[in-house]
Amino acid sequence: MMSTAAQPLDRIFGALADPTRRAILARLSGGEATVNELVAPFGLSQPTISKHLKVLEYAGLVSRGRDAQFRPVRLNAAPLADAAQWLGDYRRFWDESLDRLEDYVEELKAREKSHDGQ
Amino acid sequence: MMSTAAQPLDRIFGALADPTRRAILARLSGGEATVNELVAPFGLSQPTISKHLKVLEYAGLVSRGRDAQFRPVRLNAAPLADAAQWLGDYRRFWDESLDRLEDYVEELKAREKSHDGQ
DNA sequence: CCATAATATAGCTATCTAGCAATATAGATA
DNA sequence: TATCTATATTGCTAGATAGCTATATTATGG
Protein backbone atom coordinates (compact mmCIF):
# COMPACT_ATOMS: atom_id res chain seq x y z
CA MET A 1 0.00 0.00 0.00
CA MET A 2 2.68 2.51 -0.97
CA SER A 3 5.00 2.11 1.98
CA THR A 4 3.88 3.63 5.23
CA ALA A 5 6.86 5.99 5.11
CA ALA A 6 5.64 7.76 1.98
CA GLN A 7 5.69 11.55 1.99
CA PRO A 8 2.46 13.49 1.45
CA LEU A 9 3.33 14.37 -2.14
CA ASP A 10 4.12 10.71 -2.85
CA ARG A 11 0.64 9.79 -1.69
CA ILE A 12 -1.08 12.64 -3.48
CA PHE A 13 0.63 12.16 -6.83
CA GLY A 14 0.40 8.39 -6.39
CA ALA A 15 -3.34 8.64 -5.88
CA LEU A 16 -3.68 10.80 -8.99
CA ALA A 17 -1.68 8.36 -11.12
CA ASP A 18 -4.67 6.07 -11.60
CA PRO A 19 -7.44 6.97 -14.07
CA THR A 20 -10.16 5.34 -12.00
CA ARG A 21 -9.21 7.47 -9.01
CA ARG A 22 -9.10 10.64 -11.08
CA ALA A 23 -12.55 9.77 -12.39
CA ILE A 24 -13.78 9.26 -8.84
CA LEU A 25 -12.53 12.71 -7.90
CA ALA A 26 -14.19 14.17 -10.98
CA ARG A 27 -17.45 12.56 -9.98
CA LEU A 28 -17.10 13.89 -6.43
CA SER A 29 -16.51 17.41 -7.68
CA GLY A 30 -20.23 17.33 -8.50
CA GLY A 31 -21.13 16.48 -4.92
CA GLU A 32 -20.76 13.66 -2.43
CA ALA A 33 -21.65 10.10 -3.39
CA THR A 34 -22.15 6.70 -1.84
CA VAL A 35 -19.81 3.84 -2.60
CA ASN A 36 -22.38 2.14 -4.80
CA GLU A 37 -22.91 5.32 -6.79
CA LEU A 38 -19.19 5.34 -7.43
CA VAL A 39 -19.18 1.67 -8.39
CA ALA A 40 -21.91 2.04 -11.01
CA PRO A 41 -20.14 3.95 -13.81
CA PHE A 42 -17.04 1.72 -13.86
CA GLY A 43 -16.99 -1.91 -14.86
CA LEU A 44 -15.27 -2.67 -11.57
CA SER A 45 -16.28 -4.58 -8.49
CA GLN A 46 -17.38 -2.89 -5.29
CA PRO A 47 -14.33 -4.08 -3.33
CA THR A 48 -12.06 -2.66 -6.00
CA ILE A 49 -13.71 0.74 -5.69
CA SER A 50 -13.51 0.53 -1.89
CA LYS A 51 -9.80 -0.08 -2.23
CA HIS A 52 -9.39 2.95 -4.48
CA LEU A 53 -11.30 4.99 -1.92
CA LYS A 54 -8.86 3.90 0.74
CA VAL A 55 -5.95 5.11 -1.36
CA LEU A 56 -7.70 8.45 -1.88
CA GLU A 57 -8.46 8.68 1.81
CA TYR A 58 -4.85 7.90 2.71
CA ALA A 59 -3.80 10.77 0.46
CA GLY A 60 -6.31 13.02 2.23
CA LEU A 61 -8.26 13.57 -0.98
CA VAL A 62 -11.59 12.26 0.24
CA SER A 63 -13.30 11.96 3.59
CA ARG A 64 -16.12 9.71 4.65
CA GLY A 65 -19.33 10.44 6.45
CA ARG A 66 -21.92 8.17 7.94
CA ASP A 67 -25.61 8.11 7.09
CA ALA A 68 -27.34 4.93 8.20
CA GLN A 69 -25.55 2.11 6.41
CA PHE A 70 -24.20 4.50 3.81
CA ARG A 71 -20.70 5.92 4.03
CA PRO A 72 -20.91 8.98 1.83
CA VAL A 73 -17.66 10.05 0.22
CA ARG A 74 -16.80 13.68 -0.34
CA LEU A 75 -13.99 15.47 -2.06
CA ASN A 76 -11.33 17.08 0.07
CA ALA A 77 -9.31 19.16 -2.35
CA ALA A 78 -6.86 20.68 0.10
CA PRO A 79 -4.00 18.30 -0.73
CA LEU A 80 -4.38 19.18 -4.39
CA ALA A 81 -3.23 22.66 -3.43
CA ASP A 82 0.06 21.18 -2.28
CA ALA A 83 0.45 19.36 -5.57
CA ALA A 84 -0.40 22.51 -7.47
CA GLN A 85 2.12 24.47 -5.46
CA TRP A 86 4.83 21.95 -6.25
CA LEU A 87 3.98 22.21 -9.95
CA GLY A 88 3.93 25.97 -9.64
CA ASP A 89 7.66 26.00 -9.10
CA TYR A 90 8.05 24.69 -12.65
CA ARG A 91 5.51 26.92 -14.25
CA ARG A 92 8.14 29.28 -15.60
CA PHE A 93 9.63 26.43 -17.61
CA TRP A 94 6.55 25.93 -19.69
CA ASP A 95 5.18 29.40 -19.54
CA GLU A 96 8.09 31.76 -19.39
CA SER A 97 6.58 34.89 -20.82
CA LEU A 98 3.59 34.95 -18.51
CA ASP A 99 5.61 34.39 -15.40
CA ARG A 100 5.57 37.92 -14.15
CA LEU A 101 1.83 38.22 -14.57
CA GLU A 102 1.36 35.04 -12.59
CA ASP A 103 3.62 36.32 -9.85
CA TYR A 104 1.62 39.52 -9.74
CA VAL A 105 -1.61 37.63 -9.29
CA GLU A 106 -0.14 35.44 -6.60
CA GLU A 107 0.88 38.57 -4.83
CA LEU A 108 -2.60 40.04 -5.18
CA LYS A 109 -4.11 36.88 -3.85
CA ALA A 110 -1.78 36.76 -0.87
CA ARG A 111 -2.67 40.35 -0.12
CA GLU A 112 -6.39 39.72 -0.41
CA LYS A 113 -6.06 36.70 1.85
CA SER A 114 -4.22 38.64 4.53
CA HIS A 115 -6.93 41.32 4.52
CA ASP A 116 -9.38 38.45 4.76
CA GLY A 117 -12.47 39.10 2.68
CA GLN A 118 -15.71 37.21 3.34
CA MET B 1 6.88 -0.53 -15.83
CA MET B 2 3.43 0.96 -15.42
CA SER B 3 1.57 -0.89 -18.15
CA THR B 4 2.16 0.15 -21.72
CA ALA B 5 -1.47 1.19 -21.97
CA ALA B 6 -1.14 3.95 -19.37
CA GLN B 7 -2.57 7.36 -20.22
CA PRO B 8 -0.32 10.41 -20.25
CA LEU B 9 -1.59 11.69 -16.91
CA ASP B 10 -1.01 8.24 -15.40
CA ARG B 11 2.61 8.43 -16.46
CA ILE B 12 3.08 12.04 -15.42
CA PHE B 13 1.53 11.72 -11.98
CA GLY B 14 3.14 8.32 -11.58
CA ALA B 15 6.54 9.81 -12.30
CA LEU B 16 5.93 12.57 -9.77
CA ALA B 17 4.89 10.10 -7.06
CA ASP B 18 8.49 9.25 -6.21
CA PRO B 19 10.63 11.63 -4.11
CA THR B 20 13.85 10.71 -5.90
CA ARG B 21 12.31 11.59 -9.25
CA ARG B 22 10.94 14.88 -7.94
CA ALA B 23 14.42 15.67 -6.61
CA ILE B 24 15.91 14.87 -10.01
CA LEU B 25 13.51 17.31 -11.65
CA ALA B 26 14.38 19.93 -9.05
CA ARG B 27 18.05 19.43 -9.81
CA LEU B 28 17.39 19.72 -13.55
CA SER B 29 15.50 22.96 -13.10
CA GLY B 30 18.95 24.43 -12.46
CA GLY B 31 20.25 23.19 -15.78
CA GLU B 32 21.06 19.96 -17.55
CA ALA B 33 23.13 17.29 -15.86
CA THR B 34 24.92 14.06 -16.63
CA VAL B 35 23.76 10.78 -15.16
CA ASN B 36 26.68 10.68 -12.76
CA GLU B 37 25.93 14.19 -11.57
CA LEU B 38 22.44 13.00 -10.77
CA VAL B 39 23.74 9.90 -9.02
CA ALA B 40 26.02 11.83 -6.67
CA PRO B 41 23.56 13.53 -4.29
CA PHE B 42 21.49 10.41 -3.61
CA GLY B 43 22.74 7.34 -1.82
CA LEU B 44 21.54 5.29 -4.77
CA SER B 45 23.33 3.22 -7.38
CA GLN B 46 23.86 4.41 -10.93
CA PRO B 47 21.54 1.78 -12.43
CA THR B 48 18.81 2.84 -10.03
CA ILE B 49 19.10 6.45 -11.18
CA SER B 50 19.15 5.32 -14.80
CA LYS B 51 15.90 3.49 -14.18
CA HIS B 52 14.33 6.60 -12.65
CA LEU B 53 15.45 8.56 -15.68
CA LYS B 54 13.71 6.07 -17.91
CA VAL B 55 10.47 6.56 -16.01
CA LEU B 56 10.85 10.34 -16.32
CA GLU B 57 11.61 10.01 -20.02
CA TYR B 58 8.60 7.77 -20.55
CA ALA B 59 6.47 10.48 -18.96
CA GLY B 60 8.06 13.03 -21.29
CA LEU B 61 9.51 14.98 -18.38
CA VAL B 62 13.14 14.75 -19.43
CA SER B 63 14.97 14.34 -22.69
CA ARG B 64 18.45 13.11 -23.36
CA GLY B 65 21.27 14.52 -25.41
CA ARG B 66 24.55 13.07 -26.46
CA ASP B 67 27.97 14.55 -25.82
CA ALA B 68 30.78 12.05 -26.27
CA GLN B 69 30.08 9.26 -23.82
CA PHE B 70 27.84 11.50 -21.72
CA ARG B 71 24.08 11.47 -22.08
CA PRO B 72 23.06 14.83 -20.66
CA VAL B 73 19.59 14.97 -19.17
CA ARG B 74 17.45 18.07 -19.41
CA LEU B 75 14.11 19.03 -17.99
CA ASN B 76 11.13 19.03 -20.30
CA ALA B 77 8.40 20.72 -18.33
CA ALA B 78 5.65 20.64 -20.94
CA PRO B 79 3.83 17.61 -19.49
CA LEU B 80 3.71 19.36 -16.14
CA ALA B 81 1.41 21.86 -17.78
CA ASP B 82 -1.06 19.05 -18.44
CA ALA B 83 -0.88 18.00 -14.80
CA ALA B 84 -1.34 21.60 -13.69
CA GLN B 85 -4.30 21.97 -15.98
CA TRP B 86 -5.93 18.89 -14.52
CA LEU B 87 -5.38 20.25 -11.03
CA GLY B 88 -6.70 23.61 -12.16
CA ASP B 89 -10.16 22.14 -12.54
CA TYR B 90 -10.21 21.61 -8.78
CA ARG B 91 -8.74 24.92 -7.81
CA ARG B 92 -12.10 26.38 -6.91
CA PHE B 93 -12.55 23.70 -4.27
CA TRP B 94 -9.58 24.83 -2.25
CA ASP B 95 -9.61 28.44 -3.25
CA GLU B 96 -13.21 29.41 -3.77
CA SER B 97 -13.10 33.11 -3.08
CA LEU B 98 -10.27 33.84 -5.48
CA ASP B 99 -11.80 31.91 -8.31
CA ARG B 100 -13.04 34.87 -10.28
CA LEU B 101 -9.69 36.60 -10.10
CA GLU B 102 -8.01 33.44 -11.36
CA ASP B 103 -10.49 33.21 -14.21
CA TYR B 104 -9.79 36.78 -15.11
CA VAL B 105 -6.08 36.14 -15.28
CA GLU B 106 -6.53 33.02 -17.35
CA GLU B 107 -8.54 35.10 -19.74
CA LEU B 108 -5.84 37.74 -19.86
CA LYS B 109 -3.24 35.11 -20.51
CA ALA B 110 -5.25 33.53 -23.29
CA ARG B 111 -5.69 36.95 -24.85
CA GLU B 112 -1.99 37.76 -24.57
CA LYS B 113 -1.09 34.39 -26.06
CA SER B 114 -3.39 34.89 -29.05
CA HIS B 115 -1.82 38.30 -29.71
CA ASP B 116 1.48 36.53 -29.41
CA GLY B 117 3.97 38.75 -27.66
CA GLN B 118 7.65 37.96 -28.08
C1' DC C 1 -34.90 -11.42 15.80
C1' DC C 2 -34.45 -12.00 10.58
C1' DA C 3 -33.78 -10.57 6.12
C1' DT C 4 -31.89 -7.26 3.31
C1' DA C 5 -28.92 -3.55 1.80
C1' DA C 6 -24.43 -1.11 1.92
C1' DT C 7 -19.88 -1.46 2.72
C1' DA C 8 -15.54 -3.58 4.46
C1' DT C 9 -12.26 -7.23 4.86
C1' DA C 10 -9.76 -11.47 3.62
C1' DG C 11 -7.33 -14.04 0.60
C1' DC C 12 -5.75 -14.86 -3.90
C1' DT C 13 -3.19 -13.82 -8.58
C1' DA C 14 -0.63 -11.26 -11.89
C1' DT C 15 1.90 -7.43 -12.66
C1' DC C 16 4.73 -3.41 -11.38
C1' DT C 17 8.15 -1.11 -8.56
C1' DA C 18 12.51 0.27 -6.38
C1' DG C 19 16.44 -1.24 -5.15
C1' DC C 20 20.88 -3.98 -5.77
C1' DA C 21 25.36 -6.19 -8.00
C1' DA C 22 27.32 -7.77 -12.09
C1' DT C 23 28.15 -7.13 -16.78
C1' DA C 24 27.78 -5.18 -21.42
C1' DT C 25 28.29 -1.30 -24.56
C1' DA C 26 30.02 3.06 -26.47
C1' DG C 27 33.15 6.63 -26.91
C1' DA C 28 37.76 8.95 -25.73
C1' DT C 29 42.38 8.62 -25.04
C1' DA C 30 46.92 6.75 -24.13
C1' DT D 1 44.75 -1.56 -29.94
C1' DA D 2 44.10 -1.47 -24.96
C1' DT D 3 42.15 0.87 -21.43
C1' DC D 4 39.39 3.89 -19.04
C1' DT D 5 35.01 6.41 -18.25
C1' DA D 6 30.04 7.01 -18.68
C1' DT D 7 26.00 4.85 -19.16
C1' DA D 8 22.82 0.96 -20.24
C1' DT D 9 21.21 -3.63 -19.64
C1' DT D 10 20.43 -7.94 -17.21
C1' DG D 11 18.85 -10.64 -13.64
C1' DC D 12 17.66 -10.82 -9.07
C1' DT D 13 14.61 -9.77 -4.51
C1' DA D 14 11.11 -7.73 -1.60
C1' DG D 15 7.28 -5.34 -1.42
C1' DA D 16 3.27 -2.68 -3.58
C1' DT D 17 -0.75 -2.51 -6.72
C1' DA D 18 -5.05 -3.51 -9.15
C1' DG D 19 -8.10 -6.62 -9.89
C1' DC D 20 -11.14 -10.61 -8.56
C1' DT D 21 -14.53 -13.73 -5.51
C1' DA D 22 -16.13 -14.95 -1.22
C1' DT D 23 -17.29 -13.61 3.27
C1' DA D 24 -17.84 -10.56 7.28
C1' DT D 25 -19.79 -6.45 9.28
C1' DT D 26 -23.09 -2.91 10.13
C1' DA D 27 -27.38 -0.76 10.07
C1' DT D 28 -32.61 -0.74 8.57
C1' DG D 29 -36.92 -2.41 8.42
C1' DG D 30 -40.22 -5.80 8.95
Side-chain angles (χ1 to χ4, degrees):
Chain A
M1 175 171 239
M2 185 171 278
S3 147
T4 288
Q7 304 171 209
L9 282 177
D10 295 5
R11 298 196 287 252
I12 296 163
F13 283 129
L16 299 181
D18 182 279
T20 299
R21 288 193 291 263
R22 290 197 305 277
I24 288 174
L25 293 179
R27 167 59 236 272
L28 293 177
S29 72
E32 71 176 27
T34 67
V35 174
N36 276 336
E37 284 168 345
L38 293 172
V39 168
F42 305 100
L44 300 175
S45 72
Q46 173 263 313
T48 294
I49 296 298
S50 284
K51 203 192 276 188
H52 281 305
L53 291 174
K54 234 154 82 166
V55 173
L56 289 167
E57 198 174 7
Y58 186 54
L61 288 166
V62 305
S63 55
R64 322 286 311 259
R66 189 178 286 281
D67 172 15
Q69 70 270 79
F70 302 85
R71 305 290 317 277
V73 186
R74 49 191 136 57
L75 178 65
N76 180 13
L80 294 180
D82 299 338
Q85 185 176 351
W86 187 90
L87 286 172
D89 292 344
Y90 294 86
R91 187 171 189 84
R92 62 194 174 99
F93 292 105
W94 77 76
D95 200 342
E96 196 78 55
S97 71
L98 298 169
D99 191 29
R100 280 177 305 262
L101 179 58
E102 190 70 14
D103 285 350
Y104 176 64
V105 171
E106 290 305 318
E107 191 194 328
L108 278 186
K109 291 170 68 171
R111 207 180 302 160
E112 181 174 358
K113 193 164 269 163
S114 71
H115 290 172
D116 189 26
Q118 78 143 353
Chain B
M1 178 171 238
M2 184 170 279
S3 146
T4 288
Q7 304 170 209
L9 282 177
D10 295 6
R11 299 195 286 251
I12 297 163
F13 284 128
L16 299 181
D18 183 278
T20 299
R21 287 193 292 262
R22 290 196 305 276
I24 289 174
L25 294 179
R27 166 62 236 271
L28 292 176
S29 72
E32 71 177 26
T34 68
V35 174
N36 275 337
E37 285 168 345
L38 294 171
V39 168
F42 305 101
L44 299 175
S45 70
Q46 172 263 312
T48 294
I49 297 297
S50 284
K51 202 192 277 187
H52 280 306
L53 290 175
K54 231 152 90 163
V55 174
L56 288 167
E57 198 174 7
Y58 186 54
L61 288 166
V62 305
S63 55
R64 321 288 311 261
R66 188 178 287 282
D67 171 15
Q69 69 269 78
F70 302 86
R71 305 291 316 278
V73 187
R74 49 192 134 58
L75 178 64
N76 179 14
L80 294 180
D82 299 338
Q85 185 175 352
W86 186 91
L87 285 172
D89 292 345
Y90 294 85
R91 188 170 189 84
R92 61 195 174 100
F93 292 105
W94 76 76
D95 201 341
E96 196 79 57
S97 72
L98 297 169
D99 193 28
R100 279 177 306 262
L101 179 57
E102 190 70 14
D103 286 350
Y104 175 65
V105 171
E106 289 305 319
E107 191 193 330
L108 278 186
K109 291 171 66 172
R111 208 180 302 160
E112 181 175 357
K113 190 163 274 164
S114 71
H115 291 174
D116 189 30
Q118 75 137 358

